[in-house]
Amino acid sequence: YEAVISASSPLVGRNVRDSNFRSNYGAVIIAIHRNGERILKKIGDVVLRSGDTLLLPPLHNGLFLMAAGHIWPLQEASALKQERIYTAREISPSLYALGTVSNGILLINRAGQVVRHFSTHNGLENNNIRSIFADRQGNLWAGLDEGIAMIDYLSPISKLSPVPKSRMATYT
């Protein structure tokens, strides 16, 4: 969905982060356009102006991608309708990280298929993902309820753990 900021909106002159947009309006902004151009800086840092167009995902209808002025649904993403997605980040041209409220991080491809899942079952400290950031070294950083996690999502190894009550050690 798109929403246009009116001149009388209380959002005018405030950055997205300080406006508490998510908690006040129950929606997440995934892109902002100004004068027909997408603003490429961090969404939370954008100071909103009258006439800005906000792109809001209709999560109850599935997930959508937007590129080159076109929006299309992710056909394979129907299984994601039950997920409570809190944050999302493009981490490569063909891969997206979705942070959920209670199911960790889902990596999906452009078709909407889940290609990796990180949760407490494979080493994540907890499943409530507050923020996601991808660094230049190919690591995924997740802000959790009580700390941060660094995930080497490109690694073929998903979890190393010692055998409980054994004298074995795990080395990488």
Side-chain angles (χ1 to χ4, degrees), residues 45-65:
D45 294 337
V46 175
V47 176
L48 296 170
R49 296 182 190 166
S50 174
D52 284 354
T53 302
L54 311 179
L55 183 63
L56 311 170
L59 294 178
H60 60 280
N61 290 329
L63 292 175
F64 293 75
L65 281 180

Side-chain angles (χ1 to χ4, degrees), residues 8 26 38 53 139 169:
S8 61
R38 183 173 178 188
T53 302
N139 299 307

Side-chain angles (χ1 to χ4, degrees), residues 30-170:
I30 57 174
I32 301 173
H33 287 241
R34 181 174 291 148
N35 300 322
E37 298 290 323
R38 183 173 178 188
I39 298 175
L40 298 177
K41 65 196 282 189
K42 287 184 179 180
I43 290 174
D45 294 337
V46 175
V47 176
L48 296 170
R49 296 182 190 166
S50 174
D52 284 354
T53 302
L54 311 179
L55 183 63
L56 311 170
L59 294 178
H60 60 280
N61 290 329
L63 292 175
F64 293 75
L65 281 180
M66 181 183 90
H70 300 287
I71 298 174
W72 66 93
L74 295 175
Q75 299 301 325
E76 301 293 326
S78 60
L80 300 175
K81 286 183 182 180
Q82 301 85 278
E83 300 293 346
R84 293 184 54 207
I85 298 169
Y86 186 79
T87 186
R89 178 82 56 213
E90 179 182 53
I91 56 176
S92 78
S94 61
L95 200 59
Y96 303 89
L98 307 177
T100 69
V101 171
S102 60
N103 198 19
I105 297 172
L106 303 166
L107 296 187
I108 64 168
N109 61 20
R110 290 182 70 84
Q113 299 165 321
V114 176
V115 294
R116 300 261 327 245
H117 181 204
F118 301 100
S119 69
T120 54
H121 295 294
N122 58 8
L124 205 56
E125 195 63 34
N126 71 54
N127 286 331
N128 190 354
I129 310 303
R130 302 281 186 158
S131 60
I132 298 174
F133 173 76
D135 68 21
R136 291 184 184 131
Q137 289 74 38
N139 299 307
L140 193 61
W141 293 85
L144 311 174
D145 270 343
E146 298 177 2
I148 62 173
M150 196 258 327
I151 303 163
D152 182 1
Y153 69 92
L154 298 173
S155 173
I157 299 170
S158 61
K159 183 178 181 182
L160 292 176
S161 59
V163 177
K165 297 185 180 184
S166 84
R167 298 180 62 93
M168 292 177 37
T170 304

